[in-house]
Amino acid sequence: VQLLTQAAACILLFPRFLLTAVMLWLLDFLCIRKKMLTMPTAEEVASANEGPPPDDPPVCVSDSNRMFTLESLKAVWHGQKLDFFKSAHVGSLAPNPEVIQLDGQKRLRILDFARGKRPLILNFGSCT
């Protein structure tokens, strides 16, 4: 059953993955084309040696930091797969995961803390 689920996910996610891969390739292609087709003038070469102002972001992705890499494609595939298998979806019931109390002895579900019609509020704040 799990193998069939994984196969179905691959079939459903493959078109989205291909679209994302094409977009990454196009972004890299545009930057590479711009870099190769525009020959810098002597003034531009001189100003490039000085370096851009510190607050000036780079115009294109450098050759050493390309977007269309195997690592980026793996990350896209993994993210889409996680999104597909998540338990919370818009319009469906909220998941009710198990939580462990601070003493570590008692295991409850989140909705066990709800009281009547009163809303249950979860605060995912930071204590730092």
Side-chain angles (χ1 to χ4, degrees):
V1 172
Q2 187 176 7
L3 183 62
L4 289 174
T5 305
Q6 294 288 331
C10 287
I11 291 169
L12 290 173
L13 293 176
F14 196 67
R16 278 178 36 185
F17 173 74
L18 282 179
L19 180 65
T20 305
V22 167
M23 294 298 288
L24 290 173
W25 178 80
L26 285 173
L27 286 170
D28 271 355
F29 178 74
L30 290 174
C31 290
I32 292 168
R33 184 181 62 124
K34 182 178 179 185
K35 195 175 199 179
M36 294 180 78
L37 293 179
T38 57
M39 300 304 279
T41 63
E43 294 171 0
E44 290 174 341
V45 170
S47 66
N49 290 337
E50 295 172 8
D55 59 344
D56 190 19
V59 176
C60 282
V61 177
S62 68
D63 291 337
S64 62
N65 190 17
R66 307 252 326 263
M67 297 172 76
F68 188 72
T69 61
L70 185 59
E71 290 80 20
S72 67
L73 293 176
K74 284 181 185 177
V76 168
W77 179 257
H78 184 68
Q80 289 181 357
K81 196 171 163 186
L82 284 175
D83 189 46
F84 183 77
F85 284 112
K86 68 183 177 186
S87 59
H89 296 281
V90 175
S92 64
L93 294 175
N96 190 16
E98 188 177 71
V99 293
I100 301 171
Q101 287 193 331
L102 291 176
D103 60 9
Q105 304 297 322
K106 199 170 184 184
R107 293 175 181 261
L108 298 169
R109 299 259 175 207
I110 286 182
L111 292 179
D112 293 341
F113 295 99
R115 303 282 185 255
K117 298 257 183 211
R118 194 177 73 185
L120 177 65
I121 298 173
L122 301 175
N123 183 1
F124 296 100
S126 173
C127 297
T128 56

